[in-house]
Amino acid sequence: MTLDSSRCSNSLVVFRRSRYVLTVVVLLALTAGCVAFPSRDLAGDDRTLPPMPDRKLSIALVIAGTAVDSGEAEGPMGRRDLEQLIEEVVTAYQGSGLFSAVKPGLDDADLRAEVQFSKRIEYPSGLWGLLVLLSAGLIPTPHPTEHYAMTTTFRSRTAAELSKIHLESKVASWIGWVFLPVSPFYFPSSVQREARQQLVSATLLAARDVLERSAAAPTRDEPGDLEDPDADLSDRDD
C-alpha cells in the first residue's frame, strides 16, 4: 500500500508539473510577436493626391461588403466590419480634398461612387498551429491571410458609368518571437487597416482623370447634370 501510494503521489506531481509546463508553452506561443505585411504598397511613394481644379463636385457613396472564410460560402460582411469599412472609406474620400462634399447612401450629389468590397480569409494548415505550440513560438509560422478586393464604379448624376476600377491586395500575418521587436510597428489590425485605406487612395488616383474631366465639363440645362466625359466638346464655345 505504501509503494502504491508513493507511485500515485509521484504520478500526480509529474502530471501537475507537465500541466504547468504545457501552460507556460501555450502562453509563450500566444504572446510571441504577431506581425502582418501587405503584398504591395498600392499608394506608391507619393501618397498625396494632387489638388483638384477650383470647381469641385459633390459625391454620394454607396458601400457594400462581403466576406468569406476559407472553404465557406461568401456572405454579407458582419455589421461591425461593415461599419468600420464605411467609416474608413468616407474618411478617405473626405480627406482627399477632391470633392466639395461627401454624402452617404443615395443622397443627391453630382457623382456617385458604388464601392463593392470583399474580404476572403485564408487559413494556413493546422500543422502550423501545432508547430507554434511545440516550438513555443520560436519557429516563425504563418497566421491567416486576408485577401481584399475593391471594385468602385463612378457614375454621373444621370447614372451614366464614368469609370470602373478594380484593385486587389492581401495582408499576410505571421507569429514568432523573432518578430517581437517590430510587432508594435506591424501589428496585424493596423497593417490591415492601412491596406484597406490604400485601396481607396489608389482608386481615387486611378480615377483622377475622370474626376477632373467631370468637374471641368459644362453642365446641361438642369443644374448639376454632368456631360458625358467622353463626349466631343470641340464644337462648343468656351
Side-chain angles (χ1 to χ4, degrees):
M1 294 293 292
T2 303
L3 182 60
D4 290 341
S5 298
S6 177
R7 287 178 178 176
C8 289
S9 178
N10 290 337
S11 298
L12 184 61
V13 171
V14 171
F15 172 75
R16 287 177 176 175
R17 288 180 177 176
S18 300
R19 186 175 60 178
Y20 173 77
V21 171
L22 180 61
T23 302
V24 171
V25 169
V26 172
L27 289 176
L28 287 174
L30 293 177
T31 56
C34 191
V35 296
F37 304 100
S39 58
R40 56 183 176 141
D41 188 351
L42 287 171
D45 296 330
D46 185 5
R47 302 189 181 193
T48 304
L49 287 166
M52 283 285 284
D54 294 336
R55 180 174 180 263
K56 298 179 181 179
L57 303 177
S58 60
I59 190 168
L61 298 178
V62 180
I63 304 169
T66 59
V68 57
D69 284 348
S70 183
E72 296 185 6
E74 186 177 32
M77 183 176 288
R79 178 181 175 182
R80 186 174 180 179
D81 289 343
L82 181 59
E83 289 176 349
Q84 181 180 1
L85 173 67
I86 293 174
E87 179 182 357
E88 292 172 354
V89 173
V90 171
T91 300
Y93 274 69
Q94 289 174 337
S96 69
L98 300 179
F99 309 100
S100 61
V102 177
K103 304 179 179 182
L106 295 174
D107 282 6
D108 184 63
D110 300 312
L111 300 171
R112 185 169 79 243
E114 300 170 353
V115 182
Q116 179 64 47
F117 178 82
S118 66
K119 177 178 74 173
R120 179 172 61 87
I121 303 177
E122 180 182 2
Y123 294 93
S125 169
L127 294 177
W128 285 109
L130 181 61
L131 185 60
V132 172
L133 294 177
L134 293 179
S135 67
L138 294 177
I139 300 178
T141 54
H143 259 211
T145 297
E146 294 197 358
H147 298 258
Y148 302 138
M150 179 175 286
T151 302
T152 305
T153 304
F154 292 94
R155 298 185 183 277
S156 68
R157 181 185 291 271
T158 58
E161 184 176 312
L162 305 176
S163 178
K164 189 171 186 177
I165 298 170
H166 177 82
L167 294 173
E168 296 184 5
S169 181
K170 69 177 180 179
V171 177
S173 301
W174 290 77
I175 188 170
W177 281 98
V178 67
F179 300 119
L180 196 57
V182 298
S183 181
F185 308 102
Y186 295 94
F187 200 70
S189 60
S190 299
V191 176
Q192 291 161 0
R193 185 184 306 111
E194 183 178 359
R196 293 191 297 267
Q197 292 172 346
Q198 283 190 12
L199 283 173
V200 180
S201 298
T203 295
L204 291 175
L205 281 171
R208 180 174 170 76
D209 288 344
V210 172
L211 297 176
E212 284 184 336
R213 291 162 63 188
S214 297
T219 58
R220 294 179 179 174
D221 294 336
E222 182 180 351
D225 274 356
L226 298 178
E227 290 282 3
D228 184 346
D230 295 326
D232 184 3
L233 304 178
S234 58
D235 296 333
R236 296 180 180 266
D237 295 332
D238 293 337

